[in-house]
Amino acid sequence: MSEKNKENPNISGEVTPEETSNVSVTRVNTQDIGALLVSLIEKAFEAKSSDIHIEPTGKHLVIRYRIDGLLREAFYFDKALEEALLFKIKVEAQIRTDEHFAPQDGKIRFLIKDTKIDARISIIPTTKGEKVVIRLLAQQGSDLSLEQLGIVGADLEKVTKSYQKPYGMILAVGPTGSGKTTTLYTILKNLNSRERNITTIEDPVEYDIDGVNHIQVNTKANMTFASGLRSILRQDPDIVMVGEIRDTETARIAINAAMTGHLVLSTLHTNDSVTTIPRLVDMGIEPYLVASTVNVIVAQRLTRRLCEKCKQKYKLTATELAHVKKMRPDIGAKFKEGDALYKKNGCEVCSNSGYKGRVGLYEVLELTESLRRAISEKATVDDLFVLARKMGLELIVESGIEKIKTGLIDFDELMRVTTMRE
C-alpha cells in the first residue's frame, strides 16, 4: 500500500453492538476499494483498535474492531464487495491472490496522520469465505510510564529496582493480549541511552524505539528466537529483549545470557507469577539457575477503564454486594455495604460503552534471598506461594480490588479478567 493517504470514501452504516439487529448495509463502489481499505485502517486507528476482523457471512461482509480488548461490530458491507476487498488486501500484502483454501500471512504499511502503521495480515478459509484479521502495529511506540500502565507503590519500587540491576532476567507473564510487551517496552524506554547497546528479537516487532536495535523473527531465513538470540549475544549487548520464551532452547540461551552479565527481558504464557517458576523448570532449566538469574516476575491482566467523562459515583447496595459475594467470594469479602464506588454510564466520548482505555492489574514477584533458597531446594509451587505471600506478594485480583476502590474499574471488569485461585 502506498504510504500516501488517499481521500476516504463516504462510509455510512457504522453501528454499535446494540444496533446490529437492524443495521443498514453499506454500499461502496468497487472502484473505491483502495480508499475504502485506507479508511477502515484510519477509523480503526482513531478508535485505538488493535485488530480489524473482516468476516464473510451468508449475506454480508461484517467489519469488527477490537477496542479495549473486546470486539465491536463497526460496519456491514454488501456481499458483492467481498471479492474486491479481499483481492486488494492480498495484492498489497504481496501474498497469493489465486489461493483460497490455505492460510496466508502478509504485511502492509500504511501512513495514517503522519504515523507509520504496520498491518499484519492473516487470512484463513472458512465455510462462508476467507476471513481476514488485520493486526495494527503503530510504529511510534507507547509513551506511557509504568505508573500510567498501573504499576504503582511497592510494585513499582520492585520493578524499578530489578531493571536497574546490570544483569539478570525480568519476565512479564500472562495470557495473550494482557499487555506484556507494552510493559517490557516501557522498561526499555527507561533504560535506553547511548551508553547501552539494546537489542530486541520479536514476532512481530510491535514498537520502534530510536536507539534500540529491533530484529524480526523470520523462520524462512532460519531467524528464530533461539538462533537470533545467539547472534545478538555476539553483538556485545548490554540489554536483550526476547519477545517470547517458547521452547527449551530459547529458555536456556536466555538464562545463560542473564548469568553472564546481560539484562534479559522476556515474556511467558503463565497464569500468575509463582507458577512461572515451575514452568521454567518444566522447560528444562535447573531450579538453581532459575533462582540465581530471575530478578522479578510481573504477572498481569488488562481491564477496561471506566470512562472518566461519564462514570457515576454510587454507594454499594446490599443486593449488589450479595451478588458479588455469590459470584466471587474473594472479591466480595473486601467490600461492605455503603462503600462509595463508581459505575459505568455511557457518553459520546466512550461511544456509550461506559469504558475508555485500559489499565493493567499486576502481580509483582521479586525474588528475595529466601525465595531463591526455596527454589534451589525444589520447593513445591504451593510452598513458594505461601512464602511469597509472607514476603508481601499482592495478587492480581487484589490489584483489581484496589482499582475498584479508586474508581478506575468496576466489578464486572475485574470478574471478567480474573478467576479465583484454587
Side-chain angles (χ1 to χ4, degrees), residues 329-341:
D330 57 329
I331 298 174
K334 302 296 183 178
F335 295 88
K336 64 182 184 299
E337 183 183 351
D339 280 347
L341 305 175

Side-chain angles (χ1 to χ4, degrees), residues 335-349:
F335 295 88
K336 64 182 184 299
E337 183 183 351
D339 280 347
L341 305 175
Y342 286 86
K343 62 182 177 181
K344 66 178 182 178
N345 185 18
C347 65
E348 71 283 352
V349 172

Side-chain angles (χ1 to χ4, degrees), residues 1 36-38 40-41 44 49-55 63-66 71 85-86 88-90 92-93 105-110 117-123 131-137:
M1 170 70 66
L36 169 63
L37 178 58
V38 172
L40 289 174
I41 299 294
S49 170
S50 61
D51 301 84
I52 304 171
H53 288 238
I54 303 175
E55 302 174 336
I63 310 296
R64 298 198 289 170
Y65 290 162
R66 187 174 293 281
L71 284 170
L85 182 58
L86 186 62
K88 181 66 175 178
I89 291 171
K90 287 183 175 181
E92 298 295 348
D105 298 294
K107 195 174 186 180
I108 307 173
R109 173 163 289 187
F110 296 87
I117 298 177
D118 282 335
R120 188 175 63 179
I121 312 298
S122 173
I123 302 176
K131 175 179 175 177
V132 182
V133 174
I134 304 175
R135 166 65 59 88
L136 303 182
L137 306 169

Side-chain angles (χ1 to χ4, degrees), residues 115-339:
T115 299
K116 291 180 181 178
I117 298 177
D118 282 335
R120 188 175 63 179
I121 312 298
S122 173
I123 302 176
I124 60 170
T126 73
T127 56
K128 301 288 178 60
E130 292 178 88
K131 175 179 175 177
V132 182
V133 174
I134 304 175
R135 166 65 59 88
L136 303 182
L137 306 169
Q139 290 297 296
Q140 83 276 20
S142 171
D143 294 324
L144 297 176
S145 65
L146 288 172
E147 295 96 321
Q148 289 171 316
L149 292 180
I151 303 178
V152 295
D155 285 347
L156 178 62
E157 291 179 10
K158 293 174 185 176
V159 174
T160 303
K161 178 182 174 183
S162 69
Y163 72 66
Q164 288 176 342
K165 293 181 179 179
Y167 56 87
M169 182 177 284
I170 298 172
L171 292 171
V173 303
T176 301
S178 59
K180 301 185 295 295
T181 302
T182 300
T183 298
L184 295 186
Y185 261 98
T186 304
I187 293 173
L188 280 186
K189 285 194 304 178
N190 291 337
L191 292 168
N192 190 20
S193 71
R194 299 311 299 169
E195 291 77 35
R196 294 186 174 109
N197 177 17
I198 303 176
T199 306
T200 76
I201 179 162
E202 305 163 72
D203 184 23
V205 175
E206 296 197 23
Y207 303 114
D208 185 31
I209 301 178
D210 289 338
V212 174
N213 307 289
H214 300 280
I215 300 173
Q216 169 69 51
V217 166
N218 185 347
T219 53
K220 293 180 181 178
N222 195 33
M223 178 64 79
T224 63
F225 280 118
S227 63
L229 184 52
R230 281 199 191 90
S231 298
I232 290 171
L233 294 176
R234 293 192 287 267
Q235 289 272 312
D236 185 33
D238 296 295
I239 300 165
V240 179
M241 183 181 120
V242 184
E244 182 184 347
I245 295 178
R246 295 178 178 174
D247 52 50
T248 298
E249 185 180 13
T250 305
R252 284 176 174 165
I253 300 169
I255 288 286
N256 183 65
M259 286 182 61
T260 54
H262 306 90
L263 185 63
V264 179
L265 287 68
S266 192
T267 73
L268 266 175
H269 288 287
T270 57
N271 288 327
D272 56 54
S273 58
V274 176
T275 56
T276 303
I277 295 164
R279 171 73 178 126
L280 287 170
V281 174
D282 288 344
M283 295 179 81
I285 307 302
E286 289 294 330
Y288 77 90
L289 291 177
V290 176
S292 59
T293 55
V294 177
N295 293 341
V296 73
I297 302 169
V298 182
Q300 59 187 88
R301 300 291 188 276
L302 279 180
T303 179
R304 292 183 294 172
R305 185 193 295 260
L306 286 169
C307 177
E308 291 294 331
K309 174 81 172 178
C310 66
K311 67 181 182 181
Q312 289 186 331
K313 195 169 186 177
Y314 77 105
K315 289 190 175 181
L316 184 61
T317 65
T319 302
E320 183 182 7
L321 180 58
H323 173 73
V324 173
K325 286 183 174 180
K326 180 180 179 182
M327 299 294 294
R328 289 291 299 273
D330 57 329
I331 298 174
K334 302 296 183 178
F335 295 88
K336 64 182 184 299
E337 183 183 351
D339 280 347

